[in-house]
Amino acid sequence: MTSSVDSAIVFEGVGKRFDDWVFRGIDLALPAGRTTAIVGESGCGKTTLLQLVNAVLRPDEGRVDVLGEPVPDHGLEAFRRRIGYAVQGAGLFPHLTLEANVSLLARLERWSPGEIDARRGELFDLVGLGQDLDDRYPHQLSGGQQHRAGLCRAMMLKPDIMLLDEPFSAIDPITRTEIYAQFENLRGHEPVTTVLVTHDIREARRLADYLVIMGEGSVVQAGPTDAVVAAPADGLVKRLLESAQ
Amino acid sequence: MRSLVLAIVVALAFAAVPARTADETIVVGSKNFTEAYILGEAVAQLLESEGFVVDRRLGLGGTKICYDALVAGDIDVYVEYTGTIAEAIKNIDGQPTRERLAEVLTPDGVEMLETFGFNNTYALAVSEQVATARGLTRISDLRSHPDLRMAVSHEFLERGDGWPSLQRAYGIEEIPAGIEHALAYQAIADGAIDLTDAYSTDGELNRYALTVLDDDLGFFPVYLAVPLVRVDLDDRAKDTLRRLANTLNDSEMREMNARAVLGGETTVAVATTYLAEKGIVAGDGSSAATQFRDTLTGRLAANTTRHLELVVLALLPATVLAVLLALGIFKLPLLSRGAVYVAGLLQTVPSIALLALLIPLAGIGVLPAVVALFLYALLPILRNTVTALTSIEPTLRRVAVAMGLSPAEELRHVFVPLAMPSIIAGVRTAAVISIGTATLAAFIGAGGLGDPIVKGLALNDTRLILEGAVPAALLAVVTELVFEQVERWLVPGHLRASNSGG
């Protein structure tokens, strides 16, 4: 069980390069059962950092431990199914109905139709999606509905971890406020370890218990949200926090 | 519903596999002009009257295709001309004797039987009126009639063994005008010219009442029609075919051609009459099978079925291979580009050339036709599939991986469904191209709707051409409709290629 692990995700001296180093020497321990926001300007490597968690990318140095174990070399499908994933724009498959998009993984895991329906109904209630939308294709849904469906798809298998890559950035402000509430409702009922990548410090402060502020190629400051807000490590963090006032 | 369609397609594919021909079946070939069709049909009917099972491959596209097919054992017999054997097949100068020809054919496993009796060579023809008025019977007579208005085909005028040599041999000084061969007969009939060149058994010679001048110096090479058979052909069959020896003279062959080209008789009927009148076959020589083949419905059914067989047999494996190949290589940009390039290269080989190139490898008939159609079908399917797969939105690909889909699940649940509209469009294009190209398969004896087209071209018979062209066009339209339906089953409305609306 993961409850004995205080840190769900641990980075130790992690570096990643494509042509040049994106970052080096990252040391982080992200708290279990909480929401962590990784905040930084675009291009600072925050999405790259996120993709090291579910082994879509591999570190060039250092190690990443997830739920107390190093990221495995084999059996990646099973490993990734314990980690929900949602992206900007929702990333729903256009050829599948809402119902089929959300249920896809559960079907592949051979859940019974009853289990699938029950779980989907539970999630739809938590994020405020009506069952009457089941047979719609993504293009027939509003942006807000698509994003909520994306969250449900990520949560379908009751994962241990949920990774969110700028999931709310393409939504209009009013809908966004609504979705924040639904997201918090979901998290309140299912306190899964969540890592949220965002460039929006307001969003981070609103949703996250723990902040990781990234500058170019390194972590500038990491800690509980209150602590970071109370004592910014340097001018950059201070300016970032002030920009949100 | 889908499984029903699948079952039908699979059943069609199996039904399309040609039944293995029994050992005693004799395959009769022929070239694709009127006389060749008549004589090929006569050979076939004669063999059938003696109880042999005959497979007709009439209308093969030329000397090379026929002879190669005979040597390869794809056909057992076809009618050739001695002059063609000497000049075109064996490159022998002068006029070799019968024994010499037999000698050079033996190494190929080919035996030459006795001649039909007529000589289909070049000839000079004048209108009967002019011939009578001036007393012309021989080419030598032309020397004393320099005022004749002469026009010969451009080819005959230029060829080394044409007019220039004839002029020297006969001592004729005049140089004729050049004229398109097809127009020459009408020009003589209208009295615009007095003399032209012809083939000595052309049916038109009878229709336009022309007199053929005797080649009294023996200038023109001899083109005696002879059945060429494989040495290993059943002896009883060879003996049967010897009954055709010396049964036709030039004017009789000319008369038969005229009835087929101008008199509206089918080549099958002309052949039947010939065998009966000459007492080669007692009574009506045509078997029940021949009768059936010779009704319009029978021909339409047989040709359309064969046409569909060719297309389906080529399209199914091409679809499977091209889609699998595309799925295997679309993540490797260099390899995908290479494969699409190679398939495109295949597409540029002219179909007739490809069919001819395939004869040494696959013989004649259904197999090489299917192979050629298969190769042509690869490109549209491969290119469409690769393009569709590589243009899938990167976010969706990333989500599929991050969700924990295995490569197989990715293909099954994401890539293939998203590429499906393009795959169907590719197969549809390939199918329509195949239906068109399959008409050319008649040149290598594969049959299908190209058969009446090729024959109609040879006999200058528009009705016959339409008998192939109209069903082929209808087939293409039906194919479009079928694929629209298939797309409706496999692709949700908003993703359909044929439907831009929601």
Side-chain angles (χ1 to χ4, degrees), chain B residues 19-208:
Chain B
R20 207 173 60 84
T21 47
D23 284 345
E24 65 268 27
T25 298
I26 298 178
V27 185
V28 177
S30 90
K31 296 188 187 179
N32 57 343
F33 49 90
T34 314
E35 191 168 293
Y37 278 110
I38 296 174
L39 297 178
E41 183 60 34
V43 165
Q45 288 184 19
L46 173 56
L47 289 170
E48 279 170 345
S49 76
E50 285 299 319
F52 292 100
V53 179
V54 170
D55 183 4
R56 287 171 175 75
R57 298 287 169 85
L58 307 186
L60 300 177
T63 301
K64 181 179 163 49
I65 289 177
C66 285
Y67 191 77
D68 288 355
L70 185 68
V71 172
D74 288 323
I75 59 177
D76 296 304
V77 50
Y78 82 99
V79 175
E80 189 49 280
Y81 298 88
T82 52
T84 307
I85 297 171
E87 286 170 26
I89 298 176
K90 291 296 172 190
N91 290 315
I92 304 170
D93 289 333
Q95 302 225 5
T97 60
R98 201 191 139 69
E99 289 67 33
R100 171 88 180 106
L101 283 182
E103 193 182 303
V104 296
L105 291 175
T106 308
D108 292 341
V110 172
E111 183 175 342
M112 187 170 87
L113 300 183
E114 288 74 10
T115 165
F116 280 85
F118 68 88
N119 176 18
N120 182 1
T121 184
Y122 296 104
L124 294 184
V126 293
S127 71
E128 234 166 51
Q129 219 180 339
V130 173
T132 316
R134 303 207 184 200
L136 297 174
T137 56
R138 307 170 303 164
I139 296 181
S140 307
D141 296 339
L142 293 178
R143 279 193 291 251
S144 42
H145 297 272
D147 59 325
L148 282 175
R149 290 165 303 166
M150 305 189 291
V152 299
S153 62
H154 299 285
E155 190 195 346
F156 186 72
L157 196 56
E158 303 300 330
R159 279 172 67 126
D161 56 350
W163 188 266
S165 317
L166 178 111
Q167 206 175 9
R168 274 194 299 279
Y170 278 97
I172 300 168
E173 288 176 3
E174 290 68 41
I175 293 180
I179 189 170
E180 191 58 40
H181 187 65
L183 302 176
Y185 290 119
Q186 196 58 47
I188 285 201
D190 294 345
I193 58 175
D194 299 317
L195 174 145
T196 191
D197 64 314
Y199 295 102
S200 53
T201 58
D202 276 358
E204 287 86 349
L205 294 173
N206 280 13
R207 171 172 178 187
Y208 293 103

Side-chain angles (χ1 to χ4, degrees), chain A residues 38-171:
Chain A
I38 303 175
V39 191
E41 300 295 319
S42 43
C44 71
K46 53 192 191 296
T47 294
T48 304
L49 194 63
L50 193 73
Q51 290 179 327
L52 294 175
V53 176
N54 60 358
V56 169
L57 295 175
R58 295 287 184 169
D60 293 296
E61 56 182 30
R63 60 180 275 174
V64 181
D65 286 0
V66 174
L67 301 170
E69 305 274 339
V71 171
D73 291 324
H74 305 289
L76 283 178
E77 285 87 26
F79 172 70
R80 286 175 183 145
R81 284 181 193 187
R82 293 165 59 199
I83 305 176
Y85 184 74
V87 286
Q88 179 176 1
L92 297 178
F93 298 126
H95 62 288
L96 297 180
T97 60
L98 174 58
E99 182 269 325
N101 260 291
V102 174
S103 309
L104 177 60
L105 281 177
R107 289 225 167 80
L108 295 177
E109 289 284 321
R110 302 191 183 285
W111 287 19
S112 73
E115 287 173 310
I116 293 175
D117 285 347
R119 175 62 175 159
R120 202 175 63 251
E122 188 175 48
L123 288 169
F124 278 21
D125 284 347
L126 287 173
V127 301
L129 275 178
Q131 298 275 349
D132 56 320
L133 301 177
D134 264 1
D135 295 329
R136 303 249 183 114
Y137 285 97
H139 76 287
Q140 297 166 319
L141 300 171
S142 71
Q145 289 168 333
Q146 290 188 33
H147 282 83
R148 283 178 277 169
L151 283 179
C152 292
R153 181 172 67 179
M155 289 298 290
M156 186 69 189
L157 294 185
K158 301 179 185 165
D160 299 313
I161 293 174
M162 178 158 63
L163 304 180
L164 305 175
D165 190 355
E166 305 254 12
F168 310 121
S169 60
I171 309 176

